[in-house]
């Protein structure tokens, strides 16, 4: 049986981890490679690096980061943030990234999904969707939830799937940062509607929230940042409890 | 030393990084003349099986690969190339294993691509899986699978149906999962292969 995946997410700027990392025993909490290595040792199934660098040097710093991670980490990882064209994706693939995550660039130019899937295969293309309720309608947002678009969330996800998305990373901006649990209602609706894997994101605050998201929505993976970075939830403990609930984990 | 067959199908950075971490020596096979330098081979591959086969044919290495006598491991699409045929691109392949590569049907409970960690069950005694417990998880990401076959399946995995996670015939081996991304047991498998 395919295991449900637990995915820590790391925010990176100029090649350094930027927020919310408070591990003990870490020589350098700002070193994404050391942090990644720690997570892989703890039993993380996959990692997501979200690059928020906003300079002209960004592609170069991302490629260097990806190479360092690929050299030292023995689990798969996804790179997101600022990927706008085929050349960005090509550079990251050749540096050892397993997947790339596209958000705004795909919303602005949906045909980019088709191009990426054709060039690299659907398994390489994760579409990240930030959603927020807008007048009671789940709406795709850009820039970390600040800018609403015209797109209704589920219809955009279905379009992304039909264009060649290999996986959906769905973040509820209404839940993100609340630590009140994942948006299980929306996640179930999306997960039931698509035939590609769905990663739940936004709202994880306790072990129970991971149990709930897997039991109530059957999504393939759950992503979180601060609960892992601050050591509030330890991955081996989380997996033991999930296993005890007959949720298949590695 | 392992010779990695270079024919242009996909990135091999992660594979070579894993070999370097493990201290396993490797080099590149670009032409038939390079083959003699190595005592075993890896055929990597990601992406489209039909496109990969076209590239392999263009490399001119096909007759030499089919005639290899030394241990040879195909990974992911590199494994699928060893079979007779793939539904991906309706492609005839190397036919070292007379079995087929088929597409997952897909359903809400068994999404495609088959992405993530699944359990692998070796069904025969073989040094490739030495020191790897039955049912260990390996990392898969693929939409096409090699059919289960009593004669050639070395290890099986279930994903809506039972398929070949690993195949074996004489000196030829294949794994559908990515050992270079499969944690400690993936590294064990690569080390095992390097010691045949």
């Amino acid at each position: 049986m395919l295991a449900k995946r637990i995915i820590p997410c790391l925010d990176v700027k100029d090649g350094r981890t930027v927020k919310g990392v408070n591990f003990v025993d870490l020589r350098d909490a700002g070193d994404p490679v050391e942090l990644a290595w720690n997570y892989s040792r703890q039993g993380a199934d996959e990692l997501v690096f979200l690059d928020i660098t906003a300079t002209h040097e960004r592609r170069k710093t991302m490629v260097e980061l990806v190479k360092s991670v690929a050299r030292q980490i023995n689990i798969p990882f996804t790179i997101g943030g600022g990927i706008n064209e085929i050349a960005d994706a090509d550079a990251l693939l050749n540096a050892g990234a397993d997947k790339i995550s596209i958000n705004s660039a795909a919303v602005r130019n949906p045909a980019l999904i088709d191009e990426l899937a054709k060039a690299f295969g659907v398994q390489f293309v994760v579409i990240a969707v930030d959603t927020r309720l807008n007048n009671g309608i789940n709406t795709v947002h850009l820039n970390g939830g600040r800018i609403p678009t015209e797109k209704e969330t589920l219809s955009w996800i279905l379009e992304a799937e039909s264009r060649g998305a290999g996986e959906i990373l769905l973040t509820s901006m209404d839940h993100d940062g609340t630590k009140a649990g994942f948006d299980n209602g929306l996640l179930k609706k999306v997960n039931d509607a698509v035939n590609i894997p769905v990663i739940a994101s936004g709202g994880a605050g306790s072990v129970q929230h991971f149990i709930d998201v897997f039991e109530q929505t059957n999504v393939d993976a759950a992503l979180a940042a601060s609960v892992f970075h601050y050591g509030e939830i330890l991955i081996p403990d989380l997996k033991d409890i999930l296993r005890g609930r007959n949720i298949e984990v590695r | 030393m392992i010779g990695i067959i270079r024919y242009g199908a996909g990135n091999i950075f992660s594979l070579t990084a894993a070999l370097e971490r493990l201290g396993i020596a490797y080099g590149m096979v670009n032409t038939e003349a390079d083959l003699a330098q190595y005592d075993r081979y890896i055929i990597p591959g990601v992406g489209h099986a039909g496109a990969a086969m076209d590239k392999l044919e263009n490399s001119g290495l096909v007759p030499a690969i089919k005639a290899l006598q030394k241990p040879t491991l195909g990974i992911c699409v590199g494994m699928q190339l060893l079979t007779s045929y793939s539904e991906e691109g309706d492609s005839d392949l190397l036919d070292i294993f007379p079995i087929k590569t088929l597409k997952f049907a897909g359903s809400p409970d068994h999404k495609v691509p088959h992405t993530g960690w699944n359990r692998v069950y070796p069904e025969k005694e073989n040094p490739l899986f030495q020191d790897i417990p039955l049912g260990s998880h390996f990392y898969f990401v693929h939409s096409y699978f090699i059919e289960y076959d009593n004669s050639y399946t070395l290890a099986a995995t279930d994903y809506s149906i039972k398929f070949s996670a690993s195949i074996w015939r004489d000196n030829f081996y294949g794994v559908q999962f990515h050992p270079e991304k499969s944690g400690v047991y993936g590294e064990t498998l690569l080390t095992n292969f390097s010691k045949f």
Side-chain angles (χ1 to χ4, degrees), chain B residues 124-146:
Chain B
K124 294 172 182 154
E125 277 295 320
N126 190 283
L128 191 64
F129 284 91
Q130 191 181 322
D131 298 327
I132 297 171
L134 199 70
S136 294
H137 286 96
F138 286 83
Y139 184 74
F140 291 84
V141 51
H142 60 126
S143 300
Y144 293 79
F145 66 94
I146 296 176

PDB file of all heavy atoms in Angstrom, chain B residues 124-146:
ATOM      1  N   LYS B 124      12.340 -13.777  -4.740  1.00  0.00           N
ATOM      2  CA  LYS B 124      13.399 -14.755  -4.986  1.00  0.00           C
ATOM      3  C   LYS B 124      14.606 -14.375  -4.164  1.00  0.00           C
ATOM      4  O   LYS B 124      14.767 -13.217  -3.801  1.00  0.00           O
ATOM      5  CB  LYS B 124      13.774 -14.761  -6.474  1.00  0.00           C
ATOM      6  CG  LYS B 124      12.648 -15.256  -7.366  1.00  0.00           C
ATOM      7  CD  LYS B 124      12.967 -15.062  -8.827  1.00  0.00           C
ATOM      8  CE  LYS B 124      11.777 -15.537  -9.651  1.00  0.00           C
ATOM      9  NZ  LYS B 124      11.693 -14.879 -10.944  1.00  0.00           N
ATOM     10  N   GLU B 125      15.450 -15.357  -3.920  1.00  0.00           N
ATOM     11  CA  GLU B 125      16.721 -15.089  -3.260  1.00  0.00           C
ATOM     12  C   GLU B 125      17.644 -14.412  -4.260  1.00  0.00           C
ATOM     13  O   GLU B 125      17.891 -14.947  -5.339  1.00  0.00           O
ATOM     14  CB  GLU B 125      17.360 -16.400  -2.792  1.00  0.00           C
ATOM     15  CG  GLU B 125      16.831 -16.903  -1.459  1.00  0.00           C
ATOM     16  CD  GLU B 125      17.172 -15.973  -0.297  1.00  0.00           C
ATOM     17  OE1 GLU B 125      18.297 -15.448  -0.263  1.00  0.00           O
ATOM     18  OE2 GLU B 125      16.285 -15.765   0.561  1.00  0.00           O
ATOM     19  N   ASN B 126      18.131 -13.244  -3.919  1.00  0.00           N
ATOM     20  CA  ASN B 126      19.049 -12.568  -4.825  1.00  0.00           C
ATOM     21  C   ASN B 126      19.844 -11.538  -4.036  1.00  0.00           C
ATOM     22  O   ASN B 126      19.292 -10.830  -3.202  1.00  0.00           O
ATOM     23  CB  ASN B 126      18.274 -11.883  -5.952  1.00  0.00           C
ATOM     24  CG  ASN B 126      19.199 -11.389  -7.043  1.00  0.00           C
ATOM     25  OD1 ASN B 126      19.858 -10.368  -6.907  1.00  0.00           O
ATOM     26  ND2 ASN B 126      19.278 -12.138  -8.128  1.00  0.00           N
ATOM     27  N   PRO B 127      21.154 -11.432  -4.315  1.00  0.00           N
ATOM     28  CA  PRO B 127      21.988 -10.494  -3.549  1.00  0.00           C
ATOM     29  C   PRO B 127      21.584  -9.029  -3.714  1.00  0.00           C
ATOM     30  O   PRO B 127      21.971  -8.188  -2.900  1.00  0.00           O
ATOM     31  CB  PRO B 127      23.404 -10.732  -4.093  1.00  0.00           C
ATOM     32  CG  PRO B 127      23.247 -11.556  -5.321  1.00  0.00           C
ATOM     33  CD  PRO B 127      21.950 -12.264  -5.233  1.00  0.00           C
ATOM     34  N   LEU B 128      20.784  -8.697  -4.738  1.00  0.00           N
ATOM     35  CA  LEU B 128      20.372  -7.299  -4.919  1.00  0.00           C
ATOM     36  C   LEU B 128      19.605  -6.789  -3.691  1.00  0.00           C
ATOM     37  O   LEU B 128      19.724  -5.626  -3.322  1.00  0.00           O
ATOM     38  CB  LEU B 128      19.510  -7.158  -6.184  1.00  0.00           C
ATOM     39  CG  LEU B 128      19.237  -5.729  -6.642  1.00  0.00           C
ATOM     40  CD1 LEU B 128      20.520  -5.008  -7.066  1.00  0.00           C
ATOM     41  CD2 LEU B 128      18.227  -5.699  -7.795  1.00  0.00           C
ATOM     42  N   PHE B 129      18.814  -7.674  -3.075  1.00  0.00           N
ATOM     43  CA  PHE B 129      17.987  -7.267  -1.930  1.00  0.00           C
ATOM     44  C   PHE B 129      18.554  -7.742  -0.592  1.00  0.00           C
ATOM     45  O   PHE B 129      17.847  -7.765   0.418  1.00  0.00           O
ATOM     46  CB  PHE B 129      16.547  -7.742  -2.123  1.00  0.00           C
ATOM     47  CG  PHE B 129      15.789  -6.899  -3.116  1.00  0.00           C
ATOM     48  CD1 PHE B 129      15.761  -7.236  -4.463  1.00  0.00           C
ATOM     49  CD2 PHE B 129      15.141  -5.746  -2.707  1.00  0.00           C
ATOM     50  CE1 PHE B 129      15.088  -6.441  -5.388  1.00  0.00           C
ATOM     51  CE2 PHE B 129      14.454  -4.949  -3.620  1.00  0.00           C
ATOM     52  CZ  PHE B 129      14.431  -5.300  -4.969  1.00  0.00           C
ATOM     53  N   GLN B 130      19.826  -8.092  -0.579  1.00  0.00           N
ATOM     54  CA  GLN B 130      20.461  -8.527   0.659  1.00  0.00           C
ATOM     55  C   GLN B 130      20.401  -7.408   1.697  1.00  0.00           C
ATOM     56  O   GLN B 130      20.634  -6.234   1.389  1.00  0.00           O
ATOM     57  CB  GLN B 130      21.922  -8.884   0.356  1.00  0.00           C
ATOM     58  CG  GLN B 130      22.611  -9.601   1.487  1.00  0.00           C
ATOM     59  CD  GLN B 130      24.056  -9.906   1.118  1.00  0.00           C
ATOM     60  OE1 GLN B 130      24.356 -10.234  -0.028  1.00  0.00           O
ATOM     61  NE2 GLN B 130      24.934  -9.788   2.093  1.00  0.00           N
ATOM     62  N   ASP B 131      20.109  -7.775   2.940  1.00  0.00           N
ATOM     63  CA  ASP B 131      20.038  -6.822   4.074  1.00  0.00           C
ATOM     64  C   ASP B 131      18.919  -5.794   3.927  1.00  0.00           C
ATOM     65  O   ASP B 131      18.963  -4.724   4.546  1.00  0.00           O
ATOM     66  CB  ASP B 131      21.372  -6.089   4.272  1.00  0.00           C
ATOM     67  CG  ASP B 131      22.506  -7.050   4.602  1.00  0.00           C
ATOM     68  OD1 ASP B 131      22.234  -8.066   5.259  1.00  0.00           O
ATOM     69  OD2 ASP B 131      23.650  -6.789   4.185  1.00  0.00           O
ATOM     70  N   ILE B 132      17.930  -6.072   3.080  1.00  0.00           N
ATOM     71  CA  ILE B 132      16.770  -5.192   2.941  1.00  0.00           C
ATOM     72  C   ILE B 132      15.537  -5.983   3.395  1.00  0.00           C
ATOM     73  O   ILE B 132      15.198  -6.991   2.780  1.00  0.00           O
ATOM     74  CB  ILE B 132      16.602  -4.721   1.482  1.00  0.00           C
ATOM     75  CG1 ILE B 132      17.819  -3.885   1.066  1.00  0.00           C
ATOM     76  CG2 ILE B 132      15.303  -3.938   1.315  1.00  0.00           C
ATOM     77  CD1 ILE B 132      17.881  -3.548  -0.406  1.00  0.00           C
ATOM     78  N   PRO B 133      14.897  -5.562   4.496  1.00  0.00           N
ATOM     79  CA  PRO B 133      13.768  -6.352   5.015  1.00  0.00           C
ATOM     80  C   PRO B 133      12.614  -6.441   4.006  1.00  0.00           C
ATOM     81  O   PRO B 133      12.364  -5.502   3.236  1.00  0.00           O
ATOM     82  CB  PRO B 133      13.338  -5.564   6.260  1.00  0.00           C
ATOM     83  CG  PRO B 133      14.512  -4.712   6.626  1.00  0.00           C
ATOM     84  CD  PRO B 133      15.219  -4.411   5.341  1.00  0.00           C
ATOM     85  N   LEU B 134      11.926  -7.564   4.041  1.00  0.00           N
ATOM     86  CA  LEU B 134      10.732  -7.769   3.221  1.00  0.00           C
ATOM     87  C   LEU B 134       9.729  -6.636   3.498  1.00  0.00           C
ATOM     88  O   LEU B 134       9.470  -6.310   4.649  1.00  0.00           O
ATOM     89  CB  LEU B 134      10.121  -9.115   3.627  1.00  0.00           C
ATOM     90  CG  LEU B 134       9.146  -9.784   2.666  1.00  0.00           C
ATOM     91  CD1 LEU B 134       9.880 -10.276   1.427  1.00  0.00           C
ATOM     92  CD2 LEU B 134       8.459 -10.960   3.361  1.00  0.00           C
ATOM     93  N   GLY B 135       9.190  -6.063   2.442  1.00  0.00           N
ATOM     94  CA  GLY B 135       8.187  -5.020   2.630  1.00  0.00           C
ATOM     95  C   GLY B 135       8.752  -3.640   2.926  1.00  0.00           C
ATOM     96  O   GLY B 135       8.020  -2.744   3.350  1.00  0.00           O
ATOM     97  N   SER B 136      10.046  -3.440   2.694  1.00  0.00           N
ATOM     98  CA  SER B 136      10.623  -2.098   2.883  1.00  0.00           C
ATOM     99  C   SER B 136      10.043  -1.131   1.858  1.00  0.00           C
ATOM    100  O   SER B 136       9.692  -1.514   0.744  1.00  0.00           O
ATOM    101  CB  SER B 136      12.146  -2.148   2.721  1.00  0.00           C
ATOM    102  OG  SER B 136      12.723  -2.905   3.760  1.00  0.00           O
ATOM    103  N   HIS B 137       9.995   0.150   2.257  1.00  0.00           N
ATOM    104  CA  HIS B 137       9.462   1.174   1.355  1.00  0.00           C
ATOM    105  C   HIS B 137      10.547   1.724   0.429  1.00  0.00           C
ATOM    106  O   HIS B 137      11.658   2.012   0.872  1.00  0.00           O
ATOM    107  CB  HIS B 137       8.897   2.345   2.161  1.00  0.00           C
ATOM    108  CG  HIS B 137       7.596   2.054   2.821  1.00  0.00           C
ATOM    109  ND1 HIS B 137       7.494   1.650   4.128  1.00  0.00           N
ATOM    110  CD2 HIS B 137       6.324   2.112   2.337  1.00  0.00           C
ATOM    111  CE1 HIS B 137       6.218   1.471   4.434  1.00  0.00           C
ATOM    112  NE2 HIS B 137       5.482   1.747   3.368  1.00  0.00           N
ATOM    113  N   PHE B 138      10.184   1.892  -0.825  1.00  0.00           N
ATOM    114  CA  PHE B 138      11.055   2.546  -1.805  1.00  0.00           C
ATOM    115  C   PHE B 138      10.262   3.644  -2.502  1.00  0.00           C
ATOM    116  O   PHE B 138       9.029   3.591  -2.553  1.00  0.00           O
ATOM    117  CB  PHE B 138      11.570   1.529  -2.844  1.00  0.00           C
ATOM    118  CG  PHE B 138      12.628   0.605  -2.299  1.00  0.00           C
ATOM    119  CD1 PHE B 138      12.269  -0.534  -1.581  1.00  0.00           C
ATOM    120  CD2 PHE B 138      13.973   0.876  -2.483  1.00  0.00           C
ATOM    121  CE1 PHE B 138      13.242  -1.384  -1.067  1.00  0.00           C
ATOM    122  CE2 PHE B 138      14.951   0.036  -1.974  1.00  0.00           C
ATOM    123  CZ  PHE B 138      14.590  -1.098  -1.265  1.00  0.00           C
ATOM    124  N   TYR B 139      10.985   4.622  -3.064  1.00  0.00           N
ATOM    125  CA  TYR B 139      10.317   5.774  -3.673  1.00  0.00           C
ATOM    126  C   TYR B 139      10.048   5.544  -5.165  1.00  0.00           C
ATOM    127  O   TYR B 139      10.973   5.330  -5.949  1.00  0.00           O
ATOM    128  CB  TYR B 139      11.151   7.039  -3.505  1.00  0.00           C
ATOM    129  CG  TYR B 139      10.440   8.257  -4.039  1.00  0.00           C
ATOM    130  CD1 TYR B 139       9.374   8.815  -3.337  1.00  0.00           C
ATOM    131  CD2 TYR B 139      10.800   8.826  -5.256  1.00  0.00           C
ATOM    132  CE1 TYR B 139       8.695   9.912  -3.832  1.00  0.00           C
ATOM    133  CE2 TYR B 139      10.126   9.930  -5.761  1.00  0.00           C
ATOM    134  CZ  TYR B 139       9.071  10.460  -5.043  1.00  0.00           C
ATOM    135  OH  TYR B 139       8.395  11.542  -5.543  1.00  0.00           O
ATOM    136  N   PHE B 140       8.768   5.592  -5.505  1.00  0.00           N
ATOM    137  CA  PHE B 140       8.329   5.397  -6.889  1.00  0.00           C
ATOM    138  C   PHE B 140       7.772   6.701  -7.457  1.00  0.00           C
ATOM    139  O   PHE B 140       7.133   7.471  -6.729  1.00  0.00           O
ATOM    140  CB  PHE B 140       7.168   4.393  -6.943  1.00  0.00           C
ATOM    141  CG  PHE B 140       7.517   2.971  -6.615  1.00  0.00           C
ATOM    142  CD1 PHE B 140       7.570   2.540  -5.283  1.00  0.00           C
ATOM    143  CD2 PHE B 140       7.764   2.046  -7.617  1.00  0.00           C
ATOM    144  CE1 PHE B 140       7.861   1.215  -4.978  1.00  0.00           C
ATOM    145  CE2 PHE B 140       8.057   0.717  -7.320  1.00  0.00           C
ATOM    146  CZ  PHE B 140       8.106   0.299  -5.998  1.00  0.00           C
ATOM    147  N   VAL B 141       7.964   6.905  -8.731  1.00  0.00           N
ATOM    148  CA  VAL B 141       7.179   7.926  -9.424  1.00  0.00           C
ATOM    149  C   VAL B 141       7.117   7.529 -10.904  1.00  0.00           C
ATOM    150  O   VAL B 141       8.083   7.647 -11.635  1.00  0.00           O
ATOM    151  CB  VAL B 141       7.708   9.362  -9.188  1.00  0.00           C
ATOM    152  CG1 VAL B 141       9.186   9.501  -9.452  1.00  0.00           C
ATOM    153  CG2 VAL B 141       6.929  10.382  -9.998  1.00  0.00           C
ATOM    154  N   HIS B 142       5.956   6.962 -11.284  1.00  0.00           N
ATOM    155  CA  HIS B 142       5.816   6.435 -12.651  1.00  0.00           C
ATOM    156  C   HIS B 142       4.343   6.242 -12.993  1.00  0.00           C
ATOM    157  O   HIS B 142       3.524   5.997 -12.102  1.00  0.00           O
ATOM    158  CB  HIS B 142       6.562   5.108 -12.802  1.00  0.00           C
ATOM    159  CG  HIS B 142       6.084   4.021 -11.878  1.00  0.00           C
ATOM    160  ND1 HIS B 142       5.686   2.781 -12.322  1.00  0.00           N
ATOM    161  CD2 HIS B 142       5.929   3.982 -10.531  1.00  0.00           C
ATOM    162  CE1 HIS B 142       5.318   2.037 -11.291  1.00  0.00           C
ATOM    163  NE2 HIS B 142       5.447   2.739 -10.201  1.00  0.00           N
ATOM    164  N   SER B 143       4.040   6.317 -14.258  1.00  0.00           N
ATOM    165  CA  SER B 143       2.678   6.107 -14.739  1.00  0.00           C
ATOM    166  C   SER B 143       2.536   4.766 -15.468  1.00  0.00           C
ATOM    167  O   SER B 143       1.427   4.299 -15.714  1.00  0.00           O
ATOM    168  CB  SER B 143       2.272   7.231 -15.693  1.00  0.00           C
ATOM    169  OG  SER B 143       2.328   8.482 -15.035  1.00  0.00           O
ATOM    170  N   TYR B 144       3.676   4.193 -15.855  1.00  0.00           N
ATOM    171  CA  TYR B 144       3.691   2.908 -16.559  1.00  0.00           C
ATOM    172  C   TYR B 144       4.407   1.892 -15.687  1.00  0.00           C
ATOM    173  O   TYR B 144       5.337   2.252 -14.947  1.00  0.00           O
ATOM    174  CB  TYR B 144       4.411   3.040 -17.907  1.00  0.00           C
ATOM    175  CG  TYR B 144       3.641   3.915 -18.879  1.00  0.00           C
ATOM    176  CD1 TYR B 144       3.693   5.304 -18.780  1.00  0.00           C
ATOM    177  CD2 TYR B 144       2.838   3.340 -19.859  1.00  0.00           C
ATOM    178  CE1 TYR B 144       2.967   6.105 -19.643  1.00  0.00           C
ATOM    179  CE2 TYR B 144       2.106   4.141 -20.728  1.00  0.00           C
ATOM    180  CZ  TYR B 144       2.174   5.520 -20.616  1.00  0.00           C
ATOM    181  OH  TYR B 144       1.446   6.300 -21.477  1.00  0.00           O
ATOM    182  N   PHE B 145       3.988   0.638 -15.765  1.00  0.00           N
ATOM    183  CA  PHE B 145       4.568  -0.401 -14.905  1.00  0.00           C
ATOM    184  C   PHE B 145       4.881  -1.636 -15.736  1.00  0.00           C
ATOM    185  O   PHE B 145       4.285  -1.857 -16.793  1.00  0.00           O
ATOM    186  CB  PHE B 145       3.589  -0.764 -13.788  1.00  0.00           C
ATOM    187  CG  PHE B 145       2.328  -1.435 -14.292  1.00  0.00           C
ATOM    188  CD1 PHE B 145       2.217  -2.825 -14.349  1.00  0.00           C
ATOM    189  CD2 PHE B 145       1.256  -0.668 -14.740  1.00  0.00           C
ATOM    190  CE1 PHE B 145       1.067  -3.435 -14.830  1.00  0.00           C
ATOM    191  CE2 PHE B 145       0.096  -1.278 -15.233  1.00  0.00           C
ATOM    192  CZ  PHE B 145       0.007  -2.660 -15.277  1.00  0.00           C
ATOM    193  N   ILE B 146       5.786  -2.450 -15.232  1.00  0.00           N
ATOM    194  CA  ILE B 146       6.104  -3.721 -15.899  1.00  0.00           C
ATOM    195  C   ILE B 146       5.222  -4.811 -15.308  1.00  0.00           C
ATOM    196  O   ILE B 146       5.135  -4.962 -14.080  1.00  0.00           O
ATOM    197  CB  ILE B 146       7.591  -4.057 -15.745  1.00  0.00           C
ATOM    198  CG1 ILE B 146       8.426  -2.979 -16.471  1.00  0.00           C
ATOM    199  CG2 ILE B 146       7.899  -5.443 -16.296  1.00  0.00           C
ATOM    200  CD1 ILE B 146       9.912  -3.147 -16.310  1.00  0.00           C
TER     201      ILE B 146
END
